[in-house]
């Protein structure tokens, strides 16, 4: 067996040694094995790409068959991975929905803005300041058409909306959760909008969003476009397309709730869900992505469209996360490491895997660069563009990946990870040897622990403090 790095070996094992079959399962005989990423050096710059960013909601790192799930079949996303680059060490910008969306839309740590301090946003008092530059506003300034379809979760009307933050078009929900049929959201109100007006459609939400996305990518566009396609699948409540009756029961509980806490219990559906139901939801997400990608191919735009697929944070209670520990809301690997796939046929070869650590703000910087947009110097990015790495085979600069939530703190430098748990205990892990974060090396490497802790404190000192609880 040829020598490979510990991280590469862990990525192959943890990711099921991706060689997925287009239609069904993962088998080593059906497709060429992944090779370590290398840029296509002969590629000419060409035209600026269309940009399609697809987010799953609470999708765990190993919930795709191409990342190791033994019981979930995701042929369309597996095909996307084979046609591009699968990242084994990619992370969300935070451990819950809205802070990660802040980090992706702004390219900055969530703690740079007041709205990003909410984990997650839960009322009308918070949101993304419409004056803050975003991925959409900066690309629009550079000549792109922009649209957001699906979950926004960066504030409610009348003060906050995608159309106030750089997206030309919006069709979706403002809040963090909604019942898939009635479209009742976390404030107990109807939450499906076209622009800033309510739009009535009581069909299964994933189907509705897919239909809109298929229409958008199939249009005649006279300029490059950005589409943020944010599914709510597989976020709770645990409902698939045939579960309208169960949805009606949850709707009734939402309507009967007298407080937001009671509504939250109804949405969380602690008395429902199962591995089988969750599997059905993830497979429906995969089918939806497949429909959108088929529409993109039929439109003739596939070759020069950069597709980025990821999750907004780690998985929930039915997710398959092996070998990671933790889940959504935690800064253990299971709470922030997410499946991430990039495809751009005009510039990037397929059948590749990358083990380079990266997180949401890096993709903001990358998409701005490939789209020819300049960041606003008054709002410096915290992400590092991967464009040179992806397109020119440049080495990524050494840098730290930083996370902060009220309950935890974390910083990754190379294979080393500094982590503080909810009890205030500091830990040190070597992720190259221990993705599961079970061998705490803090007692053995006190100087390194102190160095990474100081680096975390330095970044934290530049962020807004959390408001008093």
């Amino acid at each position: 067996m040829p020598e490979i790095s510990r991280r590469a070996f862990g990525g192959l094992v943890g990711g099921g040694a991706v060689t997925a079959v287009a239609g069904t399962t993962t088998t080593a005989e059906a497709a060429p094995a992944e090779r370590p990423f290398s840029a296509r050096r002969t590629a000419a710059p060409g035209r600026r790409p269309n940009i399609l960013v697809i987010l799953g909601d609470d999708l765990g790192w190993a919930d795709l068959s191409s990342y190791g799930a033994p019981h979930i079949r995701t042929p369309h996303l597996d095909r996307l991975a084979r046609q591009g680059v699968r990242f084994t060490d990619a992370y969300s910008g935070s451990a819950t929905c809205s802070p990660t969306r802040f980090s992706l839309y702004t390219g900055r740590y969530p703690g740079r803005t007041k709205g990003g301090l909410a984990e997650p946003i839960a009322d009308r008092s918070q949101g993304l300041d419409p004056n803050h530059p975003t991925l959409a506003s900066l690309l629009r300034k550079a000549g792109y058409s922009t649209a957001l379809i699906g979950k926004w979760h960066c504030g409610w009307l009348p003060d906050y909306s995608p159309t106030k933050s750089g997206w030309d078009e919006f069709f979706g929900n403002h809040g963090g959760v909604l019942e898939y049929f009635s479209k009742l959201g976390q404030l107990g109100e109807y939450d499906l909008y076209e622009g800033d007006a309510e739009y009535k459609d009581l069909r299964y939400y994933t189907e509705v969003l897919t239909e809109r996305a298929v229409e958008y990518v199939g249009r005649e566009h006279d300029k490059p476009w950005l589409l943020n396609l944010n599914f709510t699948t597989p976020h709770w409540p645990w409902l698939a397309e045939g579960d309208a009756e169960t949805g009606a029961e949850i709707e009734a509980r939402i309507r009967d709730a007298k407080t937001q806490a009671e509504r939250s219990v109804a949405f969380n559906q602690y008395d429902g869900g199962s591995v089988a139901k969750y599997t059905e939801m993830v497979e429906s997400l995969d089918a939806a992505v497949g429909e959108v990608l088929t529409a993109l191919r039929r439109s003739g735009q596939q070759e020069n469209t950069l597709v980025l697929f990821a999750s907004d944070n780690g998985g929930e209670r039915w997710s398959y996360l092996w070998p990671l520990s933790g889940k959504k809301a935690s800064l253990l690997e299971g709470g922030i490491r997410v499946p991430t796939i990039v495809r751009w046929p005009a510039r990037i070869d397929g059948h590749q895997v990358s083990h380079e650590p990266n997180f949401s703000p890096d993709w903001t910087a990358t998409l701005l660069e490939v789209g020819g947009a300049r960041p606003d110097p008054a709002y410096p990015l915290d992400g590092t563009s991967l464009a040179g790495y992806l397109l020119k085979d440049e080495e990524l600069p050494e840098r730290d990946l930083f996370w902060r939530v009220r309950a935890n703190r974390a910083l990754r430098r190379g294979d080393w990870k500094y982590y503080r748990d909810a009890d205030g205990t500091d830990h040190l892990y070597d992720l190259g040897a221990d993705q599961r974060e079970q061998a705490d090396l803090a007692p053995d490497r006190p100087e390194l622990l102190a160095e990474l802790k100081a680096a975390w404190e330095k970044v934290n000192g530049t962020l807004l403090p959390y408001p008093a609880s």
Side-chain angles (χ1 to χ4, degrees), residues 220-267:
E220 291 289 335
H221 294 274
D222 59 2
K223 55 174 117 174
W225 47 264
L226 163 73
L227 171 59
N228 288 92
L229 175 54
N230 299 343
F231 288 101
T232 57
T233 319
H235 195 292
W236 37 262
W238 318 112
L239 298 170
E241 190 168 358
D243 294 329
E245 185 175 336
T246 305
E249 294 172 1
I250 295 172
E251 176 190 354
R253 294 183 191 181
I254 296 167
R255 293 189 185 279
D256 289 343
K258 295 180 174 55
T259 65
Q260 188 158 321
E262 291 178 356
R263 283 195 298 273
S264 180
V265 170
F267 278 118

Side-chain angles (χ1 to χ4, degrees), residues 206-218:
T206 307
E207 176 189 358
V208 175
L209 295 181
T210 304
E211 187 177 274
R212 278 300 178 117
V214 165
E215 187 277 328
Y216 186 86
V217 302

Side-chain angles (χ1 to χ4, degrees), residues 90-276:
Y91 295 87
S92 55
S94 190
T96 52
C97 303
S98 60
T100 289
R101 292 163 201 272
F102 269 74
S103 71
L104 178 62
Y105 298 154
T106 68
R108 311 176 81 209
Y109 299 128
R112 298 276 184 218
T113 60
K114 289 183 179 179
L117 299 176
E119 296 172 351
I121 288 177
D123 60 48
R124 295 185 189 278
S125 68
Q126 302 155 316
L128 177 56
D129 183 349
N131 295 312
H132 195 297
T134 65
L135 173 66
S137 68
L138 294 169
L139 283 173
R140 185 168 70 176
K141 187 176 179 181
Y144 275 69
S145 298
T146 58
L148 191 150
I149 296 174
K151 177 174 170 176
W152 163 240
H153 204 185
C154 287
W156 279 271
L157 291 170
D159 296 322
Y160 310 104
S161 170
T163 58
K164 299 179 186 295
S165 289
W167 283 269
D168 298 319
E169 302 178 35
F170 169 57
F171 179 85
N173 61 301
H174 290 96
V177 62
L178 85 172
E179 194 278 305
Y180 283 79
F181 297 94
S182 68
K183 311 302 183 298
L184 290 185
Q186 66 192 102
L187 299 184
E189 303 169 353
Y190 188 83
D191 191 15
L192 176 57
Y193 285 78
E194 184 171 40
D196 292 343
E198 283 190 9
Y199 185 92
K200 291 295 182 181
D201 194 327
L202 302 182
R203 294 176 296 159
Y204 187 63
Y205 194 37
T206 307
E207 176 189 358
V208 175
L209 295 181
T210 304
E211 187 177 274
R212 278 300 178 117
V214 165
E215 187 277 328
Y216 186 86
V217 302
R219 287 184 201 169
E220 291 289 335
H221 294 274
D222 59 2
K223 55 174 117 174
W225 47 264
L226 163 73
L227 171 59
N228 288 92
L229 175 54
N230 299 343
F231 288 101
T232 57
T233 319
H235 195 292
W236 37 262
W238 318 112
L239 298 170
E241 190 168 358
D243 294 329
E245 185 175 336
T246 305
E249 294 172 1
I250 295 172
E251 176 190 354
R253 294 183 191 181
I254 296 167
R255 293 189 185 279
D256 289 343
K258 295 180 174 55
T259 65
Q260 188 158 321
E262 291 178 356
R263 283 195 298 273
S264 180
V265 170
F267 278 118
N268 270 274
Q269 200 187 1
Y270 293 113
D271 59 348
S274 65
V275 170

